[in-house]
Amino acid sequence: DAGVIQSPRHEVTEMGQEVTLRCKPISGHNSLFWYRQTMMRGLELLIYFNNNVPIDDSGMPEDRFSAKMPNASFSTLKIQPSEPRDSAVYFCASSSWDRTNYGYTFGSGTRLTVV
Amino acid sequence: AQRVTQPEKLLSVFKGAPVELKCNYSYSGSPELFWYVQYSRQRLQLLLRHISRESIKGFTADLNKGETSFHLKKPFAQEEDSAMYYCALSSSGYSTLTFGKGTMLLVSP
């Protein structure tokens, strides 16, 4: 298994542009999580899905952020319009139904820089 | 509400010295605790979980419910242990993980 796959690894964009981050979870995992990592706030949960359904999006900072999971093997996180304060590393993680026993498997992250 | 506190942003030790990374939590029920490690510019990886009571790479962590702590320890630090360490809590097997802000461990030769 190739693990959780995220793309792109790096993204540099200008303020105001739309940014789309992609994630392919591990096959068979039914939960998917999007986290944002910054020096100031550490790891913040943005949104998570169970069986492709968004369960909790209370961590999404603003309406500029949206996430979708059209099927079990793909999810996107979109920022429109992007702002410099969105610069961070965005991680996707997936897990099976029992997170306690198996924990999360994280992707390599997307390092986003908004200039 | 559940909360995880890692009081130290940075811990710097010499090779061979003992290491203790502190983690305190706030949760009224019976939590599940984890430690994750992130080596430089790599993905987070599960290091250990309290329910399995295992030792990984020489690290151990004991859940102390009285002190609501789950400190990570290693008797002799190695340079390759330098990384970011995150403590995390889950309120049940089906809930999300709440992470602390992390502690950067630097092991000098």
Side-chain angles (χ1 to χ4, degrees):
Chain A
D1 195 332
V4 176
I5 300 173
Q6 290 186 247
S7 63
R9 288 295 302 272
H10 302 275
E11 177 79 38
V12 180
T13 190
E14 290 184 346
M15 183 174 68
Q17 295 298 306
E18 177 181 294
V19 175
T20 300
L21 311 180
R22 298 172 177 78
C23 175
K24 182 181 186 308
I26 289 177
S27 177
H29 280 187
N30 65 340
S31 296
L32 183 140
F33 309 83
W34 282 101
Y35 280 87
R36 179 170 66 178
Q37 184 183 43
T38 61
M39 289 290 290
M40 291 297 296
R41 291 192 289 268
L43 276 169
E44 302 172 278
L45 176 65
L46 300 177
I47 185 172
Y48 80 96
F49 297 82
N50 273 355
N51 295 318
N52 312 338
V53 176
I55 302 300
D56 183 358
D57 65 354
S58 60
M60 298 284 261
E62 299 171 33
D63 291 344
R64 299 184 296 106
F65 285 70
S66 63
K68 294 181 179 180
M69 192 165 186
N71 56 63
S73 59
F74 184 66
S75 177
T76 60
L77 177 68
K78 186 176 294 186
I79 308 173
Q80 165 63 18
S82 58
E83 296 182 3
R85 59 192 168 122
D86 302 331
S87 297
V89 181
Y90 291 81
F91 285 102
C92 176
S94 70
S95 74
S96 61
W97 65 277
D98 185 346
R99 316 190 220 295
T100 297
N101 283 330
Y102 302 105
Y104 291 10
T105 301
F106 281 83
S108 297
T110 294
R111 184 174 296 273
L112 174 65
T113 304
V114 183
V115 297
Chain B
Q2 55 198 49
R3 180 177 293 179
V4 177
T5 302
Q6 294 179 251
E8 301 145 326
K9 285 189 176 181
L10 173 65
L11 182 62
S12 184
V13 301
F14 288 106
K15 177 182 173 181
V19 170
E20 182 179 65
L21 300 169
K22 291 183 169 54
C23 172
N24 290 91
Y25 65 90
S26 173
Y27 179 64
S28 57
S30 293
E32 306 290 350
L33 276 298
F34 303 79
W35 276 99
Y36 280 78
V37 60
Q38 184 181 27
Y39 300 102
S40 180
R41 292 180 176 260
Q42 294 186 24
R43 70 186 70 196
L44 279 84
Q45 305 169 44
L46 179 63
L47 181 61
L48 54 80
R49 46 191 183 239
H50 94 272
I51 58 171
S52 58
R53 303 184 68 80
E54 57 199 345
S55 173
I56 303 294
K57 298 183 179 181
F59 284 98
T60 59
D62 290 319
L63 179 60
N64 186 324
K65 292 188 177 181
E67 296 183 356
T68 61
S69 68
F70 188 57
H71 302 329
L72 183 68
K73 300 178 183 179
K74 185 170 183 177
F76 307 104
Q78 303 299 314
E79 290 180 66
E80 56 265 30
D81 296 328
S82 295
M84 193 75 170
Y85 291 81
Y86 289 94
C87 182
L89 175 154
S90 172
S91 59
S92 74
Y94 309 100
S95 71
T96 59
L97 287 176
T98 298
F99 286 86
K101 291 191 175 182
T103 298
M104 172 66 77
L105 173 65
L106 290 177
V107 182
S108 305

